[in-house]
Amino acid sequence: MGSASSPSPRPFAIQDAVSPDGSLSLSNVTDWEADAAADAKVELARTILQHTNIRDALVARQAVIADSHVFNHEIDFKTGPITNQKSSGRCWLFATTNVLRYEIMKKLKLKEFQLSQSYLFFWDKLNKSNYYLELSIELADRPLDDRLVSHLSGDLISDGGQWDMAVNLVETYGLVPQDVFPESTHSSLSGPLNTLLKTKLREDALILRDLSNSLKEKSLAPAAITSILRAEKEHLMKEVYNIMTATLGVPPLPGSKFVWDYYDSDGKPGQFNGTATEFFEKYASKPYAPKDSFSLVNDPRNEYSKLYTVDKLGNIWGGRPVMYVNTEIENMKATVIKMIKAGVPVFFGCDVGQFSDRVAGVMDPALFKYETAFDIKLGLTKAQRLQVNESAMTHAMVISGVHLDSDGKPLRYKVENSWGDSGGNKGYYLMTDAWFEEFVYQVVVFDGGNPHVYPAWDPMGTLA
């Protein structure tokens, strides 16, 4: 816990540097090349890797063989289809809806079903726009180069999010089937919309800052200033709403009735006639209510058995904050195993780009032979990766199975991703226990205290 020790330095002899001023010396390069040219391993690596992607060339065959897509404990009810977030960063919304659809599909006896990810995406993006402008009002007195102000204006309306932000959305806006509010070009390809909204919102933030400064010069009461600023913000938000409805469509209001017709797995027709909030309450709020859930995280930089939050992170202004209970990795594993055995899918957050193969659908620290090929040692601990920005929580998925050894220890986990069915085992991925230890940061428990606050720019505030 706390500060991690630095990687062990290699043995060295006291000697003068070739380049006393620290610049790159060609004399050094000449010496390095002479050593490399005499090394058969280096020559072999140069022969192969100049023409081949190192990730393809250095895959460890033994790891691929060992990483079998077989699991002795799986959730008994199978959902489908495998979802696809396409060219967007909505993994957390797909993971959320993939978890919530389990109970819906069981109750309605559905063979295939998707909740509308685009519906939640719309309300999230609209609320994040409002959240950013509220923060711009709150922080109007700070200079633009203040670290917090600069950080918040960086990725101000990211597609990503956290579990507690998803709980905010479903508790406020409910859920609708995908047929009721289907995908649009810009929900599946969010980049162009995000670029436009970020440009507009940054300009809007400056408008509100300038107005705030001019109002304070008039010696108005703070409450009056806030009221005027929020009225201007609402005018600016109307323009944001118009952009979003033009590109994503007009979603049903949470209290407006819709009709959804469907066939169950026996071919029997059914119908739901009600609102988005009623659909959520009837089918997705029991027996595991999202509002009663919480996140366990494994952050070895900080003290365990404490509650943490992230400063200025959220989507719905005044809504549920993002909260984490920091715990040892073995506790997280035990929780996952318990939930899988109970038939409950597990939302989790991880750093998916680390030692993973998208085609094979394998996440395993032993997957690539970098150390052997380059004669190097990669020895960062989990805490050190967080400290030096080598790792963060970048992706959310769902654990739906686990393979235990004869002593009940986990060997690997079955993972439901949202990248379509072409990768892995028809869209399902495999995560080894060693990878879980190093690159899984969060699991959500269905079952709080005063939280310790991470700064807004902390890696634990990265939106999956």
Side-chain angles (χ1 to χ4, degrees):
M1 297 186 301
S3 299
S5 60
S6 299
S8 300
R10 69 176 186 84
F12 68 95
I14 297 176
Q15 60 186 44
D16 292 333
V18 173
S19 174
D21 66 357
S23 62
L24 181 62
S25 164
L26 291 180
S27 177
N28 259 334
V29 174
T30 300
D31 291 342
W32 298 339
E33 178 55 30
D35 290 342
D39 189 323
K41 180 188 287 188
V42 172
E43 284 299 295
L44 178 61
R46 288 176 172 179
T47 300
I48 297 171
L49 299 180
Q50 291 178 26
H51 311 287
T52 311
N53 184 317
I54 61 172
R55 291 172 62 91
D56 295 334
L58 300 179
V59 169
R61 177 178 169 83
Q62 302 94 320
V64 174
I65 293 172
D67 294 335
S68 172
H69 288 262
V70 176
F71 308 90
N72 52 19
H73 294 275
E74 295 187 53
I75 293 176
D76 54 0
F77 186 84
K78 300 296 186 287
T79 60
I82 288 292
T83 56
N84 193 340
Q85 67 191 74
K86 299 185 179 178
S87 297
S88 73
R90 299 173 293 161
C91 59
W92 65 293
L93 292 176
F94 277 74
T96 298
T97 52
N98 284 343
V99 166
L100 296 179
R101 71 175 172 173
Y102 272 80
E103 288 300 322
I104 298 171
M105 293 181 71
K106 282 198 289 187
K107 289 173 182 176
L108 296 178
K109 295 177 59 180
L110 302 176
K111 184 177 181 180
E112 288 200 338
F113 173 73
Q114 288 192 64
L115 288 161
S116 173
Q117 304 91 0
S118 185
Y119 177 76
L120 296 178
F121 181 65
F122 179 94
W123 292 116
D124 177 66
K125 193 74 69 178
L126 190 66
N127 274 281
K128 279 178 180 166
S129 299
N130 181 69
Y131 196 97
Y132 173 68
L133 294 182
E134 279 291 330
L135 287 174
S136 298
I137 292 172
E138 180 182 304
L139 303 173
D141 289 337
R142 297 199 187 189
L144 286 172
D145 61 358
D146 175 85
R147 182 174 184 182
L148 180 58
V149 173
S150 177
H151 169 78
L152 294 173
S153 65
D155 198 10
L156 56 158
I157 50 163
S158 166
D159 283 0
Q162 275 293 340
W163 173 259
D164 288 311
M165 296 161 72
V167 174
N168 275 333
L169 295 173
V170 300
E171 291 286 343
T172 305
Y173 298 101
L175 296 166
V176 300
Q178 192 180 74
D179 294 342
V180 173
F181 194 67
E183 290 287 292
S184 68
T185 295
H186 291 288
S187 62
S188 298
L189 178 66
S190 59
L193 173 60
N194 286 337
T195 298
L196 174 59
L197 287 178
K198 287 177 184 179
T199 299
K200 176 174 172 28
L201 287 166
R202 287 172 180 138
E203 184 172 324
D204 292 347
L206 292 179
I207 291 172
L208 292 172
R209 287 173 66 90
D210 290 344
L211 178 58
S212 176
N213 291 332
S214 66
L215 291 172
K216 286 171 183 175
E217 291 175 356
K218 300 180 186 299
S219 300
L220 296 174
I225 292 175
T226 299
S227 180
I228 294 170
L229 287 170
R230 283 181 167 160
E232 176 62 17
K233 181 205 71 176
E234 289 169 357
H235 169 73
L236 299 170
M237 280 296 300
K238 179 183 177 181
E239 297 172 344
V240 172
Y241 174 83
N242 287 339
I243 293 171
M244 290 186 55
T245 53
T247 52
L248 299 175
V250 181
L253 293 174
S256 299
K257 286 185 177 283
F258 65 86
V259 176
W260 174 55
D261 294 304
Y262 62 91
Y263 284 112
D264 67 16
S265 58
D266 297 325
K268 181 180 178 181
Q271 183 181 89
F272 173 82
N273 190 332
T275 68
T277 51
E278 289 170 346
F279 187 87
F280 165 69
E281 288 294 334
K282 185 172 183 178
Y283 297 118
S285 66
K286 303 177 186 66
Y288 305 106
K291 65 182 177 61
D292 295 331
S293 62
F294 64 94
S295 290
L296 293 176
V297 296
N298 177 241
D299 176 7
R301 300 171 304 165
N302 292 294
E303 189 173 352
Y304 292 133
S305 301
K306 287 190 178 293
L307 183 64
Y308 292 83
T309 189
V310 180
D311 190 27
K312 304 293 187 291
L313 180 65
N315 54 355
I316 294 182
W317 189 254
R320 170 177 171 139
V322 173
M323 305 276 261
Y324 306 127
V325 177
N326 195 23
T327 190
E328 294 85 351
I329 196 69
E330 293 302 324
N331 290 340
M332 287 179 63
K333 292 182 192 179
T335 298
V336 170
I337 293 169
K338 181 179 179 180
M339 291 178 66
I340 294 301
K341 287 183 175 181
V344 182
V346 183
F347 177 110
F348 78 104
C350 65
D351 190 357
V352 73
Q354 300 274 4
F355 295 92
S356 63
D357 186 293
R358 186 165 181 162
V359 175
V362 171
M363 295 169 279
D364 184 348
L367 193 56
F368 303 110
K369 292 286 190 177
Y370 296 137
E371 294 183 344
T372 301
F374 298 109
D375 198 21
I376 59 174
K377 177 65 177 175
L378 302 175
L380 289 178
T381 66
K382 192 173 192 177
Q384 289 165 347
R385 291 189 203 100
L386 291 168
Q387 289 168 333
V388 300
N389 295 314
E390 167 62 18
S391 185
M393 190 157 35
T394 61
H395 192 55
M397 297 180 282
V398 178
I399 299 174
S400 60
V402 61
H403 193 76
L404 306 178
D405 66 14
S406 57
D407 295 322
K409 300 294 184 182
L411 299 176
R412 54 185 179 267
Y413 305 82
K414 182 178 182 180
V415 174
E416 180 182 358
N417 203 353
S418 55
W419 291 345
D421 59 7
S422 60
N425 184 16
K426 300 178 181 178
Y428 285 94
Y429 286 55
L430 179 151
M431 171 174 59
T432 66
D433 186 61
W435 198 94
F436 186 110
E437 288 191 1
E438 296 297 328
F439 301 113
V440 169
Y441 292 105
Q442 171 197 24
V443 299
V444 170
V445 181
F446 285 91
D447 194 18
N450 295 319
H452 297 260
V453 180
Y454 288 107
W457 48 84
D458 192 89
M460 295 308 289
T462 303
L463 297 179

